[in-house]
Amino acid sequence: MKQVLIILISLVSLIASGQNDTIPLDLTKKYFKGELRNYKAVLTGEAKDQNFNPKKISKKADLEFETLINSNNIAAIAISLTEGKQHSDIYAFWTKDKDWQITAFRALWLPGMFYMLLDNYKDLDSEGIKKEYMKMLKEVKQKNDTLTDEQIVEKIGTLDDFRFDVENMKLTVCSDKDLKEHFYKNQYEFTVLLDKVQNDSISETKTWHISKQSDYKKQLQNLLITGISGYKSSPIIDFQIGGVIDNSVGYFYCEKPEDVPEMSDNRYIMIRELGNGWYLYKTT
């Protein structure tokens, strides 16, 4: 009888634990779908000041949810929000004291100037990019008529450089889903580039960064990566796509899972495992 009681208690505890694991995800769904009568009741700290109003989300928007972390009374839920051609990836960070509450909302932040530039080029195909480059070349030549064509190209870059800049900007603001697909589509090339970096003496220096080195330029452009960096005592090799200062997006390689940094609302706001030591990340 005593053994039966112990088993029953264990089962009840296991069921309660499983239900607790789904609470942040369930609440996030209800929050973003406007199903909470008082949505502000689940906000605390910074999130309360941010006052993200779910009622402003269109009923036509397509919403997808995924738990990124849920342990030790801390959870991070990814929200994919799509309406037409507009897409946003938002991350809600939860903590539990007595009840689960959102402490902060996060997303990749980029300055307005970035989006102004992107708006000029985001709908261009390969031929459109070439026309835009030739137009830019002509304008620079008119303003600097003493410069030769070679000097102008040296000043503004080649067509391949311009094409890389445009495609890189597009990738920077892609959805998490598209960023994962970009990696898997080019996984072999990423692995080849990783091997090259690991066998390069530069990766043994205290702090290192690869971006404009001629023997790497073509590979970086093909993968739409702006640079690779790391430092000697770190287990992480960072393959940055884009962003500004601490607000960045990219991939990193980390051989041991225990060395992967934790997600938080003040550093790595999103980390997704891609397999074989590779991860997709965003920072703030």
Side-chain angles (χ1 to χ4, degrees):
M1 187 68 174
K2 187 177 180 180
Q3 288 179 331
V4 173
L5 186 60
I6 291 172
I7 292 171
L8 285 173
I9 291 172
S10 298
L11 284 171
V12 170
S13 177
L14 185 62
I15 292 170
S17 175
Q19 289 174 338
N20 186 61
D21 286 347
T22 67
I23 289 174
L25 178 60
D26 292 341
L27 283 174
T28 303
K29 290 179 179 179
K30 290 179 179 179
Y31 185 96
F32 278 83
K33 291 180 180 179
E35 296 174 358
L36 294 178
R37 182 174 297 179
N38 180 11
Y39 73 87
K40 293 183 180 181
V42 297
L43 304 179
T44 188
E46 185 183 346
K48 202 169 185 178
D49 295 330
Q50 289 175 305
N51 191 23
F52 186 94
N53 189 346
K55 295 177 182 179
K56 292 183 178 180
I57 298 174
S58 170
K59 296 296 182 182
K60 296 179 181 179
D62 180 41
L63 291 163
E64 295 180 17
F65 304 88
E66 182 182 354
T67 300
L68 297 179
I69 55 171
N70 189 354
S71 62
N72 300 322
N73 294 332
I74 296 174
I77 309 296
I79 304 97
S80 170
L81 195 160
T82 306
E83 184 178 3
K85 293 183 178 181
Q86 300 298 316
H87 179 87
S88 299
D89 284 295
I90 304 166
Y91 313 99
F93 286 84
W94 294 79
T95 58
K96 183 184 179 186
D97 186 3
K98 292 182 179 179
D99 299 303
W100 283 102
Q101 288 186 297
I102 300 175
T103 56
F105 294 102
R106 290 289 182 264
L108 179 66
W109 180 89
L110 295 170
M113 183 61 72
F114 178 93
Y115 292 101
M116 287 176 63
L117 284 172
L118 182 59
D119 282 342
N120 293 329
Y121 309 129
K122 65 182 181 182
D123 296 323
L124 297 180
D125 57 13
S126 182
E127 188 60 31
I129 290 174
K130 183 178 180 179
K131 287 180 179 179
E132 193 66 30
Y133 176 78
M134 297 307 294
K135 177 184 174 183
M136 183 170 62
L137 200 67
K138 184 178 179 180
E139 289 175 351
V140 173
K141 192 170 184 177
Q142 288 175 342
K143 293 178 181 178
N144 301 272
D145 55 5
T146 59
L147 296 179
T148 64
D149 289 348
E150 290 77 12
Q151 289 173 321
I152 293 174
V153 169
E154 187 177 343
K155 182 182 179 69
I156 67 171
T158 64
L159 173 58
D160 283 342
D161 293 335
F162 181 63
R163 181 174 285 113
F164 164 77
D165 289 340
V166 172
E167 296 302 333
N168 172 262
M169 290 174 71
K170 291 179 183 179
L171 185 64
T172 298
V173 296
C174 269
S175 67
D176 289 0
K177 180 181 178 181
D178 288 340
L179 289 166
K180 288 169 67 176
E181 288 180 359
H182 175 75
F183 174 81
Y184 289 130
K185 180 181 177 182
N186 300 283
Q187 188 166 2
Y188 175 75
E189 287 76 13
F190 273 104
T191 302
V192 169
L193 185 54
L194 172 66
D195 289 341
K196 183 176 180 178
V197 170
Q198 289 177 321
N199 289 309
D200 193 325
S201 59
I202 192 174
S203 64
E204 295 298 318
T205 55
K206 187 175 181 180
T207 302
W208 55 272
H209 181 73
I210 295 168
S211 60
K212 298 184 182 300
Q213 289 87 334
S214 58
D215 55 333
Y216 279 94
K217 184 176 179 179
K218 190 65 177 176
Q219 286 173 289
L220 292 176
Q221 288 192 341
N222 288 342
L223 292 172
L224 302 181
I225 300 297
T226 58
I228 311 170
S229 61
Y231 51 97
K232 194 172 182 180
S233 60
S234 172
I236 290 175
I237 299 178
D238 186 344
F239 293 70
Q240 188 175 10
I241 296 170
V244 291
I245 311 176
D246 291 332
N247 295 278
S248 59
V249 56
Y251 310 98
F252 67 70
Y253 177 80
C254 184
E255 184 177 359
K256 298 178 181 179
E258 60 267 28
D259 290 332
V260 175
E262 294 182 355
M263 272 177 274
S264 70
D265 60 14
N266 61 5
R267 180 53 179 157
Y268 284 96
I269 59 173
M270 179 275 286
I271 296 176
R272 294 179 182 272
E273 186 175 0
L274 301 172
N276 299 314
W278 288 94
Y279 299 82
L280 169 67
Y281 77 85
K282 287 179 183 173
T283 68
T284 190

